[in-house]
Amino acid sequence: MNSILYLMSRIIKNKFRQLLNKPAMVILYLLAIAFLAYSLFYSFSSPPRQAGSENIQWLFVFFAFYLIIFYYSAVSKGLSSGSSFFDMSDVNLLFCAPVNPKHILAYGICSQAGKSLLGGIFLLLQGSTFVSLGLNTLDLLLFFGGYVLSLLLFEFMSLAIYILSNQKETIKRLIKVIALLPFLLLLLFFLNNFQRSGDLKLALLSSVEKGALKFLPVAGWITESLRNYLSGNIREMGLSLLLTLLTGVLFLAVIILYHSDYYEDVLVATETAFEKKRAINEGDINAISNTHKKIRKGKRTLEGLGSKAIFYKHLLESSRSNRFFLLDGSSFLMIAGANIAAFFSKGDISPVLLLVISMYLQSFFIGTGRGMKELYSHYIYLIPESPFKKIIWSNGEIIAKHILESLFMFLLPLLFTNWNPVTVLLCALCRSVFSIFLVSANLLSQRIFKDVISQGFLLIIYLLFIIFVMIPGVIAAFAFYMAGKLAWGLFALSLWEAFLSLLFFYLSRGVLHNSDILTLQKKN
């Protein structure tokens, strides 16, 4: 055990030394910590407001839905390559060392718990949201703890599923059925409530209030324990939490006892993750995009000259890899969420509120699309055109995708709401341009920080930067709104976002003059 403690102390010390060699990063981390401390202080010092029970029930719905995404990911990984708590350095140093395997497993669990803590930091930034719902700092920390615990248990679940189902198709099919069964029970519970009430919104919230989430393993149990705590039902909270912990113990028992040596099962997932990281470092796009999915031939052909050819190539790749062309799973998730919220509210929710919520979510989930991948190959550098033009066309596909998303998100609710069509169109425009702005901001972060800044702990700095540069546009929009000209306010905000997008794309053009991004440099 002393060797494990020594290794952990060395890792922490080396990371700290690396950080001290980058003064700019130290400043960024200090700013992030200060912003996090302010959020916690605000939730601690502000008196909780009175909030309706309906709003808190919606909080549980969104929290459970967010955890279900990780539940689905854990099951999918478990049925394919499995999960791992280790890096290749751990494999080289620990797996060959005369150390108790249970101590090594404990080290892996602690390491994964640390990663989960960092991954959940964004939740601690929601202090003002919790205050508005009548909750306090302790409630915020409990939600944070539930989130971290769920991520840790999902990693256990993924590895346990892989150990049980590796090269066993019958067991894989059985696990799929078991994984889907809780959702079927939840659906039946919801339909029963809907049959009694006749109202979708009332049936959904009533299902949550009656404890329907207890049908969902881990994600639902953790959410139920939080709900019971806030409602004062300590006994039910203890039962849900105990069931969650026992499930984690069961997963660990499968990992340790099912095989006499879990090293081989862990090694597959570790090698898979390591090879993907190495492929990214070496710019090997073929290895990164290697997939077993069926490729559709499609009817599209390559068109365009110069940098336009990159745009049409991306359209062709999207049509071959995706049944619905530009729209993928995340697109349908955003579209469905917006339309369901508009339908359940019966017109009470405004398109502007929906715009604000969608823009907030986009700040966390925006990606860089195929345009960033083009920087890993040499073809885009050989096109004899201006870097700015090549940057725009190489990101054309993801720009088109977000425009299409925005149109479906805001235009479809016109069928069952009394929203103003002009306001709806301007909201769709504002969200489209904001998405383009986020793509350009991520690209600029590659140019400046040699990494995507929206990952890990620097997410806080990323959000601060987004808020700071958006202040002039928000002030202009608010001024028009106070003057009774909401449409002009949305238009002014869209213009500011468009200006920032073009500016950031222009500032990013240097990546096509020199391959100075760290991930593009070959490592010996």
Side-chain angles (χ1 to χ4, degrees), residues 222-432:
I222 289 178
T223 308
E224 266 298 288
S225 64
L226 292 169
R227 188 186 71 84
N228 286 316
Y229 167 77
L230 293 179
S231 60
N233 193 342
I234 304 301
R235 179 176 175 275
E236 291 295 327
M237 180 202 75
L239 290 176
S240 298
L241 194 57
L242 179 62
L243 185 58
T244 303
L245 296 177
L246 288 177
T247 303
V249 173
L250 176 62
F251 291 149
L252 283 176
V254 171
I255 295 171
I256 297 173
L257 302 178
Y258 188 78
H259 287 162
S260 59
D261 189 352
Y262 63 86
Y263 288 168
E264 292 184 5
D265 299 304
V266 173
L267 188 58
V268 174
T270 305
E271 286 180 336
T272 302
F274 174 75
E275 289 299 331
K276 286 184 178 180
K277 291 180 181 178
R278 185 167 65 177
I280 292 174
N281 287 337
E282 296 180 353
D284 188 355
I285 287 298
N286 293 326
I288 299 170
S289 58
N290 185 26
T291 177
H292 298 290
K293 291 183 179 179
K294 293 182 179 179
I295 303 298
R296 299 173 182 85
K297 184 177 180 180
K299 298 180 180 179
R300 295 182 178 272
T301 58
L302 283 175
E303 300 178 18
L305 296 174
S307 55
K308 291 182 182 179
I310 298 177
F311 171 65
Y312 286 105
K313 179 175 78 76
H314 292 167
L315 294 181
L316 178 61
E317 291 172 349
S318 295
S319 64
R320 287 181 173 180
S321 62
N322 190 2
R323 186 186 303 275
F324 301 100
F325 191 30
L326 292 176
L327 299 179
D328 54 17
S330 62
S331 303
F332 285 108
L333 194 63
M334 295 291 290
I335 293 170
N339 283 270
I340 290 173
F343 182 79
F344 278 161
S345 66
K346 301 298 183 182
D348 294 336
I349 186 174
S350 69
V352 177
L353 178 59
L354 188 62
L355 170 66
V356 173
I357 295 174
S358 66
M359 289 172 65
Y360 177 74
L361 293 177
Q362 279 291 89
S363 300
F364 291 99
F365 299 114
I366 195 69
T368 51
R370 290 187 171 90
M372 181 61 68
K373 292 181 180 179
E374 289 296 332
L375 300 178
Y376 297 137
S377 60
H378 62 279
Y379 300 107
I380 192 171
Y381 299 92
L382 301 178
I383 299 176
E385 292 183 356
S386 69
F388 179 70
K389 187 176 181 181
K390 289 190 285 187
I391 286 288
I392 295 295
W393 280 110
S394 64
N395 288 279
E397 178 251 354
I398 194 170
I399 291 173
K401 171 192 171 184
H402 288 303
I403 292 174
L404 200 59
E405 276 182 16
S406 301
L407 291 176
F408 280 112
M409 284 178 61
F410 288 94
L411 294 185
L412 288 181
L414 287 175
L415 300 175
F416 45 82
T417 62
N418 57 353
W419 289 351
N420 186 331
V422 176
T423 303
V424 167
L425 285 174
L426 287 172
C427 286
L429 172 65
C430 193
R431 183 193 179 273
S432 301

Side-chain angles (χ1 to χ4, degrees), residues 66 119 121-123 125-126 357-367 434 438 442 454-456 459-460 462-463 466:
Y66 189 63
I121 279 180
F122 79 93
L123 193 61
L125 302 177
Q126 313 305 315
I357 295 174
S358 66
M359 289 172 65
Y360 177 74
L361 293 177
Q362 279 291 89
S363 300
F364 291 99
F365 299 114
I366 195 69
F434 182 73
L438 291 178
N442 270 324
S454 58
Q455 294 178 352
L459 176 63
I460 301 175
Y462 170 76
L463 292 176
I466 296 299

Side-chain angles (χ1 to χ4, degrees), residues 115-273:
K115 295 175 183 178
S116 300
L117 281 171
L118 290 177
I121 279 180
F122 79 93
L123 193 61
L124 296 178
L125 302 177
Q126 313 305 315
S128 59
T129 303
F130 274 68
V131 169
S132 66
L133 292 174
L135 305 177
N136 54 35
T137 307
L138 178 60
D139 302 327
L140 174 62
L141 293 176
L142 288 175
F143 271 85
F144 173 71
Y147 173 78
V148 172
L149 178 61
S150 65
L151 290 189
L152 192 59
L153 291 181
F154 286 142
E155 291 293 335
F156 296 165
M157 177 194 294
S158 178
L159 183 55
I161 290 175
Y162 177 77
I163 291 175
L164 291 172
S165 64
N166 185 28
Q167 298 180 351
K168 299 174 183 177
E169 294 301 323
T170 303
I171 295 182
K172 283 186 178 181
R173 287 192 290 268
L174 179 61
I175 289 175
K176 289 179 182 179
V177 173
I178 295 174
L180 292 175
L181 185 60
F183 295 95
L184 179 60
L185 295 175
L186 182 62
L187 178 62
L188 292 175
F189 195 98
F190 168 76
L191 292 176
N192 182 48
N193 280 339
F194 176 68
Q195 187 179 12
R196 295 179 179 179
S197 63
D199 186 274
L200 289 173
K201 176 183 175 182
L202 184 61
L204 178 62
L205 296 180
S206 175
S207 299
V208 174
E209 192 172 359
K210 293 178 180 178
L213 293 175
K214 63 187 176 186
F215 293 122
L216 302 179
V218 182
W221 298 339
I222 289 178
T223 308
E224 266 298 288
S225 64
L226 292 169
R227 188 186 71 84
N228 286 316
Y229 167 77
L230 293 179
S231 60
N233 193 342
I234 304 301
R235 179 176 175 275
E236 291 295 327
M237 180 202 75
L239 290 176
S240 298
L241 194 57
L242 179 62
L243 185 58
T244 303
L245 296 177
L246 288 177
T247 303
V249 173
L250 176 62
F251 291 149
L252 283 176
V254 171
I255 295 171
I256 297 173
L257 302 178
Y258 188 78
H259 287 162
S260 59
D261 189 352
Y262 63 86
Y263 288 168
E264 292 184 5
D265 299 304
V266 173
L267 188 58
V268 174
T270 305
E271 286 180 336
T272 302

Side-chain angles (χ1 to χ4, degrees), residues 45-66:
S45 59
S46 300
R49 304 171 190 172
Q50 292 294 327
S53 60
E54 179 179 316
N55 293 333
I56 297 180
Q57 297 297 341
W58 279 116
L59 173 64
F60 296 130
V61 172
F62 291 134
F63 187 71
F65 178 75
Y66 189 63

Side-chain angles (χ1 to χ4, degrees), residues 480-491:
F480 277 112
Y481 171 74
M482 295 301 294
K485 298 179 180 180
L486 175 61
W488 282 104
L490 292 173
F491 184 69

